[in-house]
Amino acid sequence: MPTPTEYLKHTSVIIITGGSSGIGCSIIKAIKNLAPTATVCNLSRSKPGDFFDQHGIHIATDLSDPTAVAAAAEQLNIIIAEAEPGEVLLINNSGFGDYGRQQDLDRGKQLQMIDLNVRAIVDLTSRLLPQMLKRGGCVVNVASTAGFQPTAYLATYGATKAFVLNWTLALGEDLRGTKVRTLAVCPGPTRSNFFKSAGFETPPMQEGTSLTPDMTSEEVADLTLQALAEGKSLLVTGWKNKLIALFGSKFPIIVVTRIGAAILRKMRLEAHKGDSK
Ligand SMILES: NC(=O)c1ccc[n+]([C@@H]2O[C@H](COP(=O)([O-])OP(=O)(O)OC[C@H]3O[C@@H](n4cnc5c(N)ncnc54)[C@H](OP(=O)(O)O)[C@@H]3O)[C@@H](O)[C@H]2O)c1
């Protein structure tokens, strides 16, 4: 079984989205640690920190804008064409959530989320696949344990992640027999900017509950690179999250939806403690 360092030796171009913070930033740092001279291309609106300047190419991109995705893919295809022989690693990680009852949420933000969490992944991957098929490589898509069951109060977010999970696994089968494979990564609650940008106050959940974010983005990054090196097609991070995924598959979907809603509703009370409304 190759180690992440050995795996990265065969890779000449690494492309990641959302490397400016959280899980994406930790993945870049982990890669830089294991393969200091690897060229990493990052796509996000803001640049990762100063650490990224050496061997890092930042392509400022709002991935919720289809025109921007097309322009970035064009640049990336040139970078891949001019790169040394070797595989291409594409990590689609950018994403955000929006917490609340659907009827209370902003329609535009929900649609932007679908454009980023779903459309951009399909678009970017499809545009880079022809060269990836020639060189070989892996498409890593960051889904979520939210993708294993309907998620009231995060209805659109959970549905985008169910799409990412199912699409990635199916794509892996479509690509069987080629030089490209896929890995679906399903983190559970992880410490990052995610909760703040999704509209939670921090911390959104009571310490010690089953949904307390007990993983760091560094841990998720390390597990992702390990799963990549081991050739896995699905990674659910941590035993608690594996249990949640198992629960979602073993009980009737209506029951799972209701229980999930009860848990997520509690988070709403926590998030809005002190609201006068
Ligand atoms: N944290 C969790 O509990 C958790 C659990 C399961 C799955 N996930 C998934 O993990 C992934 C990374 O999230 P995170 O936890 O690391 O959250 P984060 O710290 O908020 O990072 C989100 C990343 O997405 C990028 N992004 C947001 N909007 C974008 C846009 N319009 N165009 C391009 N990039 C954009 C951000 O970059 P810019 O703002 O610079 O554009 C940032 O780098 C997401 O797909 C998320 O759904 C997170």
Side-chain angles (χ1 to χ4, degrees):
M1 204 72 78
T3 62
T5 310
E6 284 160 354
Y7 173 84
L8 290 169
K9 275 190 192 140
H10 302 286
T11 307
S12 59
V13 185
I14 299 164
I15 298 157
I16 184 162
T17 71
S20 59
S21 78
I23 295 170
C25 188
S26 295
I27 291 176
I28 295 181
K29 283 181 175 164
I31 288 173
K32 291 269 166 208
N33 196 25
L34 299 171
T37 56
T39 298
V40 180
C41 305
N42 171 65
L43 274 59
S44 54
R45 292 165 303 180
S46 45
K47 199 179 141 187
D50 292 342
F51 77 92
F52 188 66
D53 287 342
Q54 220 187 359
H55 307 295
I57 300 171
H58 174 59
I59 303 175
T61 316
D62 180 348
L63 290 165
S64 65
D65 173 0
T67 317
V69 176
E74 212 173 298
Q75 278 193 61
L76 289 168
N77 269 321
I78 293 169
I79 292 170
I80 297 171
E82 291 174 352
E84 299 284 308
E87 297 189 355
V88 177
L89 172 59
L90 169 62
I91 306 173
N92 290 301
N93 160 75
S94 279
F96 72 88
D98 193 16
Y99 180 76
R101 295 179 303 185
Q102 184 63 30
Q103 60 271 33
D104 299 332
L105 296 174
D106 179 70
R107 182 176 57 87
K109 193 173 175 191
Q110 300 281 299
L111 296 177
Q112 194 191 1
M113 191 200 307
I114 295 169
D115 284 339
L116 178 67
N117 295 11
V118 174
R119 191 186 195 287
I121 293 183
V122 177
D123 196 5
L124 189 62
T125 306
S126 306
R127 287 175 188 272
L128 301 185
L129 254 184
Q131 288 214 75
M132 291 184 74
L133 285 165
K134 284 185 202 148
R135 285 175 168 265
C138 187
V139 179
V140 178
N141 292 332
V142 180
S144 167
T145 47
F148 286 105
Q149 68 285 303
T151 51
Y153 295 91
L154 284 166
T156 305
Y157 175 73
T160 66
K161 292 301 178 180
F163 179 98
V164 176
L165 172 59
N166 284 286
W167 189 74
T168 309
L169 294 174
L171 177 67
E173 291 305 314
D174 286 351
L175 292 170
R176 204 169 274 280
T178 75
K179 292 192 280 185
V180 181
R181 59 189 178 86
T182 65
L183 167 63
V185 177
C186 295
T190 306
R191 280 172 232 145
S192 73
N193 287 337
F194 174 83
F195 291 102
K196 201 171 169 210
S197 79
F200 292 97
E201 285 172 9
T202 29
M205 295 154 260
Q206 283 174 326
E207 285 298 320
T209 67
S210 59
L211 282 165
T212 305
D214 56 359
M215 261 207 185
T216 63
S217 58
E218 289 81 8
E219 286 171 309
V220 173
D222 289 347
L223 289 170
T224 299
L225 294 182
Q226 190 61 43
L228 186 61
E230 287 172 7
K232 287 189 176 161
S233 54
L234 174 65
L235 166 68
V236 181
T237 60
W239 66 267
K240 266 194 214 169
N241 298 323
K242 287 188 174 78
L243 272 183
I244 291 170
L246 185 72
F247 170 77
S249 67
K250 293 289 174 211
F251 290 88
I253 194 163
I254 298 294
V255 174
V256 172
T257 306
R258 290 296 295 273
I259 293 173
I263 294 168
L264 285 153
R265 189 178 305 119
K266 188 167 181 297
M267 287 162 59
R268 177 172 185 266
L269 291 177
E270 286 302 313
H272 292 271
K273 239 181 199 171
D275 274 10
S276 51
K277 281 187 247 172

